[in-house]
Coordinates of all heavy atoms in Angstrom, one line a residue:
M25 N -99.7 -91.2 107.5 CA -100.7 -90.1 107.5 C -101.9 -90.5 106.5 O -103.0 -90.2 106.7 CB -100.1 -88.8 107.0 CG -99.2 -88.1 108.2 SD -98.3 -86.7 107.6 CE -97.5 -86.2 109.1
K26 N -101.5 -91.2 105.5 CA -102.5 -91.7 104.5 C -103.4 -92.8 105.2 O -104.6 -92.9 104.9 CB -101.8 -92.2 103.3 CG -101.3 -91.3 102.3 CD -100.7 -92.0 101.1 CE -100.3 -91.0 100.0 NZ -99.7 -91.7 98.8
A27 N -102.7 -93.6 106.0 CA -103.4 -94.8 106.5 C -104.2 -94.5 107.8 O -105.1 -95.2 108.1 CB -102.4 -95.9 106.8
Q28 N -103.9 -93.5 108.6 CA -104.5 -93.3 109.8 C -105.8 -92.7 109.7 O -106.2 -92.1 108.6 CB -103.6 -92.4 110.7 CG -103.4 -91.0 110.2 CD -102.2 -90.3 110.9 OE1 -101.4 -90.9 111.6 NE2 -102.0 -89.0 110.7
S29 N -106.7 -92.8 110.7 CA -108.0 -92.2 110.7 C -108.2 -91.3 112.0 O -108.0 -91.8 113.0 CB -109.0 -93.3 110.7 OG -110.4 -92.7 110.6
P30 N -108.5 -90.0 111.7 CA -108.7 -89.3 110.5 C -107.4 -89.2 109.7 O -106.3 -89.0 110.3 CB -109.3 -88.0 110.9 CG -108.8 -87.8 112.3 CD -108.8 -89.1 112.9
Q31 N -107.5 -89.2 108.5 CA -106.4 -89.1 107.5 C -105.8 -87.7 107.5 O -106.5 -86.7 107.8 CB -106.9 -89.4 106.1 CG -105.8 -89.7 105.1 CD -106.4 -90.1 103.7 OE1 -107.1 -89.4 103.1 NE2 -106.1 -91.3 103.3
G32 N -104.5 -87.7 107.2 CA -103.8 -86.3 107.1 C -102.8 -86.1 108.1 O -102.5 -86.8 109.0
G33 N -102.2 -84.9 107.9 CA -101.1 -84.4 108.8 C -100.3 -83.3 108.2 O -100.6 -82.8 107.1
R34 N -99.2 -83.0 108.8 CA -98.4 -81.8 108.3 C -96.9 -82.2 108.4 O -96.5 -82.7 109.5 CB -98.7 -80.6 109.2 CG -98.1 -79.3 108.7 CD -98.4 -78.1 109.6 NE -99.9 -78.0 109.8 CZ -100.7 -77.4 109.0 NH1 -100.3 -76.9 108.0 NH2 -102.0 -77.3 109.4
I35 N -96.1 -81.8 107.3 CA -94.7 -82.0 107.4 C -94.1 -80.6 107.3 O -94.5 -79.8 106.4 CB -94.3 -82.9 106.3 CG1 -94.8 -84.4 106.4 CG2 -92.7 -82.9 106.1 CD1 -94.6 -85.2 105.2
I36 N -93.1 -80.3 108.2 CA -92.4 -79.1 108.1 C -90.9 -79.4 107.9 O -90.2 -80.2 108.7 CB -92.5 -78.3 109.5 CG1 -94.0 -78.0 109.7 CG2 -91.7 -77.0 109.4 CD1 -94.3 -77.5 111.1
N37 N -90.3 -78.8 106.9 CA -88.9 -79.1 106.6 C -88.1 -77.9 107.0 O -88.4 -76.7 106.7 CB -88.7 -79.3 105.1 CG -89.4 -80.7 104.6 OD1 -89.4 -81.7 105.5 ND2 -89.8 -80.7 103.4
N38 N -87.0 -78.2 107.7 CA -86.0 -77.1 108.0 C -85.1 -76.9 106.8 O -84.3 -77.8 106.5 CB -85.3 -77.6 109.3 CG -84.5 -76.4 109.9 OD1 -84.3 -75.4 109.2 ND2 -83.9 -76.6 111.1
G39 N -85.3 -75.8 106.2 CA -84.4 -75.5 105.0 C -83.3 -74.7 105.6 O -82.5 -75.1 106.4
S40 N -83.1 -73.4 105.1 CA -82.1 -72.5 105.5 C -82.2 -71.3 104.6 O -82.7 -71.4 103.5 CB -80.7 -73.2 105.4 OG -79.7 -72.1 105.5
V41 N -81.7 -70.1 105.1 CA -81.6 -69.0 104.2 C -80.6 -69.4 103.0 O -80.7 -68.7 102.0 CB -81.2 -67.7 104.9 CG1 -82.2 -67.3 105.8 CG2 -79.9 -67.8 105.6
S42 N -79.8 -70.4 103.2 CA -79.0 -70.9 102.1 C -79.9 -71.5 100.9 O -79.3 -71.8 99.9 CB -77.9 -71.9 102.6 OG -77.0 -71.2 103.4
A43 N -81.1 -71.8 101.2 CA -82.1 -72.2 100.1 C -82.4 -71.1 99.2 O -83.0 -71.3 98.1 CB -83.3 -72.8 100.7
H44 N -82.0 -69.9 99.6 CA -82.2 -68.7 98.8 C -80.9 -68.0 98.4 O -80.8 -67.7 97.2 CB -83.0 -67.6 99.7 CG -84.3 -68.1 100.2 ND1 -85.5 -68.0 99.6 CD2 -84.6 -68.7 101.4 CE1 -86.4 -68.5 100.3 NE2 -85.9 -69.0 101.4
T45 N -79.9 -67.9 99.3 CA -78.7 -67.2 99.0 C -77.6 -67.9 99.7 O -77.6 -68.1 101.0 CB -78.7 -65.7 99.5 OG1 -79.8 -65.1 98.9 CG2 -77.4 -65.0 99.2
P46 N -76.5 -68.3 99.1 CA -75.5 -69.2 99.7 C -74.5 -68.3 100.5 O -74.3 -67.1 100.2 CB -74.8 -69.8 98.5 CG -75.0 -68.8 97.3 CD -76.3 -68.2 97.5
R47 N -73.9 -68.9 101.4 CA -72.6 -68.4 101.9 C -71.5 -68.8 101.0 O -71.6 -69.8 100.3 CB -72.4 -69.0 103.4 CG -73.3 -68.5 104.5 CD -72.9 -69.0 105.8 NE -73.7 -68.5 106.9 CZ -73.6 -67.3 107.5 NH1 -72.7 -66.5 107.0 NH2 -74.4 -67.0 108.4
P48 N -70.3 -68.1 101.1 CA -69.2 -68.5 100.4 C -68.7 -69.9 100.8 O -68.8 -70.3 102.0 CB -68.1 -67.4 100.8 CG -68.9 -66.2 101.2 CD -70.1 -66.8 101.8
L49 N -68.3 -70.6 99.9 CA -67.7 -71.9 100.1 C -68.6 -72.9 100.8 O -68.2 -73.7 101.7 CB -66.4 -71.8 101.0 CG -65.3 -70.8 100.5 CD1 -64.1 -70.8 101.3 CD2 -64.9 -71.2 99.0
S50 N -69.9 -72.9 100.3 CA -70.9 -73.8 100.9 C -71.6 -74.5 99.8 O -72.8 -74.8 99.9 CB -71.9 -73.0 101.8 OG -72.7 -72.1 100.9
A51 N -71.0 -75.0 98.8 CA -71.6 -75.6 97.6 C -72.5 -76.8 98.0 O -73.6 -76.9 97.6 CB -70.6 -76.0 96.6
A52 N -72.0 -77.7 98.9 CA -72.7 -78.9 99.2 C -73.9 -78.6 100.0 O -75.1 -79.0 99.7 CB -71.8 -79.9 100.0
Y53 N -73.7 -77.8 101.1 CA -74.9 -77.4 101.9 C -75.9 -76.7 101.2 O -77.2 -77.0 101.2 CB -74.4 -76.5 103.1 CG -75.4 -76.1 104.1 CD1 -76.0 -77.0 105.0 CD2 -75.9 -74.8 104.1 CE1 -76.9 -76.6 105.9 CE2 -76.9 -74.4 105.1 CZ -77.4 -75.3 105.9 OH -78.3 -75.0 106.8
T54 N -75.5 -75.7 100.3 CA -76.5 -74.9 99.5 C -77.3 -75.8 98.6 O -78.5 -75.6 98.5 CB -75.7 -73.8 98.8 OG1 -75.1 -72.9 99.7 CG2 -76.7 -72.9 97.9
A55 N -76.6 -76.7 97.9 CA -77.3 -77.6 97.0 C -78.4 -78.4 97.7 O -79.4 -78.6 97.1 CB -76.3 -78.4 96.2
T56 N -78.0 -78.9 98.8 CA -79.0 -79.7 99.6 C -80.2 -78.9 100.0 O -81.4 -79.4 100.0 CB -78.3 -80.4 100.8 OG1 -77.9 -79.5 101.8 CG2 -77.2 -81.3 100.4
K57 N -80.0 -77.7 100.4 CA -81.1 -76.9 100.9 C -82.0 -76.4 99.7 O -83.2 -76.3 99.9 CB -80.6 -75.7 101.7 CG -79.9 -76.2 103.0 CD -80.9 -77.1 103.8 CE -80.3 -77.4 105.2 NZ -81.3 -78.3 106.0
H58 N -81.4 -76.2 98.5 CA -82.3 -76.0 97.4 C -83.1 -77.3 97.0 O -84.2 -77.2 96.7 CB -81.4 -75.6 96.2 CG -81.1 -74.1 96.1 ND1 -80.3 -73.5 97.1 CD2 -81.5 -73.1 95.3 CE1 -80.1 -72.2 96.8 NE2 -80.9 -72.0 95.8
A59 N -82.5 -78.4 97.2 CA -83.2 -79.7 97.0 C -84.3 -79.9 97.9 O -85.4 -80.4 97.6 CB -82.2 -80.8 97.1
V60 N -84.2 -79.5 99.3 CA -85.2 -79.6 100.2 C -86.4 -78.7 99.8 O -87.5 -79.1 99.9 CB -84.7 -79.2 101.6 CG1 -85.8 -79.0 102.6 CG2 -83.7 -80.2 102.1
T61 N -86.1 -77.5 99.2 CA -87.2 -76.7 98.7 C -88.0 -77.4 97.7 O -89.2 -77.4 97.7 CB -86.7 -75.4 98.2 OG1 -86.0 -74.7 99.2 CG2 -87.8 -74.5 97.7
G62 N -87.4 -78.0 96.7 CA -88.1 -78.8 95.7 C -88.9 -79.9 96.3 O -90.0 -80.2 95.9
L63 N -88.3 -80.6 97.3 CA -89.0 -81.7 97.9 C -90.2 -81.3 98.7 O -91.3 -81.9 98.6 CB -87.9 -82.4 98.9 CG -88.3 -83.8 99.4 CD1 -88.7 -84.8 98.3 CD2 -87.3 -84.3 100.3
T64 N -90.1 -80.1 99.3 CA -91.2 -79.6 100.1 C -92.4 -79.3 99.2 O -93.5 -79.7 99.5 CB -90.8 -78.2 100.7 OG1 -89.7 -78.5 101.7 CG2 -91.9 -77.6 101.5
K65 N -92.1 -78.7 98.0 CA -93.2 -78.4 97.1 C -93.8 -79.6 96.5 O -95.0 -79.7 96.4 CB -92.6 -77.5 95.9 CG -92.1 -76.1 96.4 CD -91.6 -75.3 95.2 CE -91.1 -74.0 95.7 NZ -90.5 -73.2 94.6
A66 N -93.0 -80.7 96.2 CA -93.5 -81.9 95.7 C -94.3 -82.6 96.7 O -95.5 -83.2 96.4 CB -92.4 -82.8 95.2
I67 N -93.9 -82.7 98.0 CA -94.6 -83.4 99.0 C -96.0 -82.6 99.2 O -97.1 -83.3 99.4 CB -93.9 -83.4 100.3 CG1 -92.7 -84.3 100.2 CG2 -94.8 -83.9 101.5 CD1 -91.7 -84.1 101.3
D68 N -96.0 -81.3 99.3 CA -97.3 -80.6 99.4 C -98.2 -80.8 98.3 O -99.4 -81.0 98.5 CB -96.9 -79.1 99.6 CG -98.2 -78.3 100.0 OD1 -98.7 -78.6 101.0 OD2 -98.5 -77.3 99.3
L69 N -97.7 -80.9 97.1 CA -98.6 -81.1 95.9 C -99.2 -82.5 96.0 O -100.4 -82.7 95.8 CB -97.8 -80.9 94.7 CG -98.5 -81.2 93.3 CD1 -99.8 -80.3 93.1 CD2 -97.6 -81.1 92.2

């Protein structure tokens, strides 16, 4: 997206409502979806 002309583009990440509130017994999934939220914000910035 940086190299193409015209420059730019859009990235959409599929998070989950688990990025906000976990289900029981979903520690791994919930942790990854919170991480995706941080990654989304960093990419946008």
Side-chain angles (χ1 to χ4, degrees):
M25 289 172 178
K26 285 181 176 180
Q28 64 196 10
S29 181
Q31 193 177 59
R34 188 181 306 277
I35 295 172
I36 302 169
N37 292 329
N38 191 349
S40 167
V41 294
S42 290
H44 305 268
T45 304
R47 287 186 179 278
L49 305 182
S50 66
Y53 182 75
T54 298
T56 64
K57 292 307 183 178
H58 278 68
V60 168
T61 298
L63 191 57
T64 298
K65 294 176 180 178
I67 293 168
D68 188 55
L69 176 61

